[in-house]
């Protein structure tokens, strides 16, 4: 077992993820894959303030994450993955990782053409194909900001 | 000059600023209510800090440790810029009423936090205990 849940969240590790999602998912490791935060020591250190109790926290670059998964570093751990870019999810699937589920939590309000999928989230036009490819692998994709929100399938919004 | 920056998810910051001004008549309180609109939080923080002088003493009060709001202030911390999270009214009041000619050293800030932490009480039980001593 490795990735048990993945999430799209423009704020990555923040209050809602740390205090609501992480305790309910209860992984062994919360993993943020993001080059901007992984490669900037101050940003990375600030984000570490959000570390929930009782689990390891990784804030790592794409390159490092892909290499670590390839070398089976997290086999035997239950990983909750949070990213901003769905391409990362697709890349991991392409290199053979199993990702049973992807939750779209929140995104920025795009300046380009996009589909609104909840009060908090949009799918940009150029991301639609990425989400379709993810869904084709069998990964369930839902939209849900906080655990108390009702969970909607993404397919409801993307036809 | 001593400045207070209160920042939170939504309007707790604005409310605490108003409460603080009502209780203490302190000036120089800046509220940042994050995520009420799509304005990036970094920009709101920059705008507030751009009004400050280099030797100003800045006390930042945020809602919670793990929140993104608190995280965004992390790069601003230094000897004169203090970041405190999980703020409550007793804490904000004690800091606002602290004599301005006494610098808020780490030791003094720690003491204020200990006292304000102790002001969070389950009053049902507190009252019962007080009753026993009463008569």
């Amino acid at each position: 077992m490795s990735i048990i849940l993945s999430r799209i969240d423009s704020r990555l590790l923040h209050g809602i993820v740390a205090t609501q999602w992480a305790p309910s998912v209860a992984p062994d490791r919360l993993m943020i894959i993001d080059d901007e935060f992984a490669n900037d020591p101050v940003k990375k250190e600030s984000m570490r303030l959000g570390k929930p109790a009782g689990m390891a926290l990784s804030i790592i670059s794409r390159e490092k994450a892909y290499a670590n998964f390839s070398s089976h570093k997290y086999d035997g751990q239950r990983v909750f993955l949070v990213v901003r870019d769905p391409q990362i999810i697709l890349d991991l699937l392409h290199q053979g990782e199993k990702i049973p589920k992807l939750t779209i939590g929140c995104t920025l309000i795009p300046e380009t053409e996009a589909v609104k999928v909840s009060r908090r989230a949009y799918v940009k036009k150029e991301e639609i194909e990425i989400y379709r490819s993810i869904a084709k692998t069998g990964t369930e994709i839902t939209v849900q900001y906080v655990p108390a929100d009702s969970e909607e399938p993404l397919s409801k919004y993307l036809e | 000059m001593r400045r207070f920056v209160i920042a939170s998810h939504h309007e707790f910051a604005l409310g605490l600023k108003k409460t603080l001004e009502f209780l203490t008549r302190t000036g120089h309180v800046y509220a940042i209510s994050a995520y009420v609109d799509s304005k990036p939080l970094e920009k709101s923080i920059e705008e507030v800090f751009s009004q400050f002088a280099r030797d100003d003493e800045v006390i930042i009060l945020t809602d919670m440790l793990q929140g993104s709001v608190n995280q965004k202030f992390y790069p601003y911390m230094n000897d004169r810029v203090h970041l405190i999270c999980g703020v409550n009214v007793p804490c904000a009041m004690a800091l606002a009423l602290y004599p301005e000619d006494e610098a808020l050293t780490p030791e003094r800030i720690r003491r204020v936090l200990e006292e304000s932490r102790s002001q969070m009480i389950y009053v049902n039980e507190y009252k019962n205990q007080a009753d026993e001593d009463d008569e």
Side-chain angles (χ1 to χ4, degrees), chain A residues 7-60:
Chain A
R7 175 178 173 87
I8 300 290
D9 198 309
S10 52
R11 277 147 67 196
L12 298 169
L13 174 52
H14 60 102
I16 303 274
V17 171
T19 62
Q20 298 192 38
W21 284 97
S24 76
V25 176
D28 301 314
R29 175 178 304 275
L30 174 58
M31 181 181 294
I32 313 296
I33 305 179
D34 194 274
D35 289 354
E36 183 189 337
F37 282 85
N39 296 330
D40 181 328
V42 175
K43 285 187 177 171
K44 183 170 173 171
E45 197 55 34
S46 335
M47 188 160 276
R48 290 201 74 86
L49 292 175
K51 181 183 172 170
M55 58 192 75
L57 171 64
S58 306
I59 301 172
I60 53 178

Side-chain angles (χ1 to χ4, degrees), chain A residues 6-14 16-17 21 34 82-87 89 102-128 131 141-146 149 154 157-158, chain B residues 35 37-40:
Chain A
S6 58
R7 175 178 173 87
I8 300 290
D9 198 309
S10 52
R11 277 147 67 196
L12 298 169
L13 174 52
H14 60 102
I16 303 274
V17 171
W21 284 97
D34 194 274
V82 183
V83 300
R84 294 191 273 193
D85 180 0
Q87 183 64 47
I89 304 296
L102 172 63
T103 308
I104 302 179
C106 67
T107 69
L108 298 174
I109 301 170
E111 282 158 12
T112 54
E113 201 183 328
V115 181
K116 189 171 186 180
V117 297
S118 76
R119 216 158 56 84
R120 308 274 188 173
Y122 295 78
V123 171
K124 286 188 269 188
K125 192 163 172 254
E126 64 267 30
E127 290 171 341
I128 293 176
Y131 282 112
I141 310 180
T142 61
V143 181
Q144 194 180 22
Y145 182 56
V146 294
D149 289 341
L154 179 68
Y157 305 96
L158 297 188
Chain B
Y35 310 124
D37 51 33
S38 58
K39 184 175 178 182

Side-chain angles (χ1 to χ4, degrees), chain A residues 51-116:
Chain A
K51 181 183 172 170
M55 58 192 75
L57 171 64
S58 306
I59 301 172
I60 53 178
S61 66
R62 291 177 193 224
E63 195 185 352
K64 187 165 181 198
Y66 300 166
N68 286 353
F69 275 107
S70 290
S71 60
H72 303 282
K73 190 175 171 188
Y74 309 112
D75 288 5
Q77 294 185 21
R78 302 164 72 253
V79 176
F80 174 27
L81 178 62
V82 183
V83 300
R84 294 191 273 193
D85 180 0
Q87 183 64 47
I88 294 172
I89 304 296
L90 188 57
D91 289 349
L92 285 169
L93 287 163
H94 280 159
Q95 69 171 56
E97 288 308 314
K98 290 193 172 57
I99 304 177
K101 188 168 178 180
L102 172 63
T103 308
I104 302 179
C106 67
T107 69
L108 298 174
I109 301 170
E111 282 158 12
T112 54
E113 201 183 328
V115 181
K116 189 171 186 180

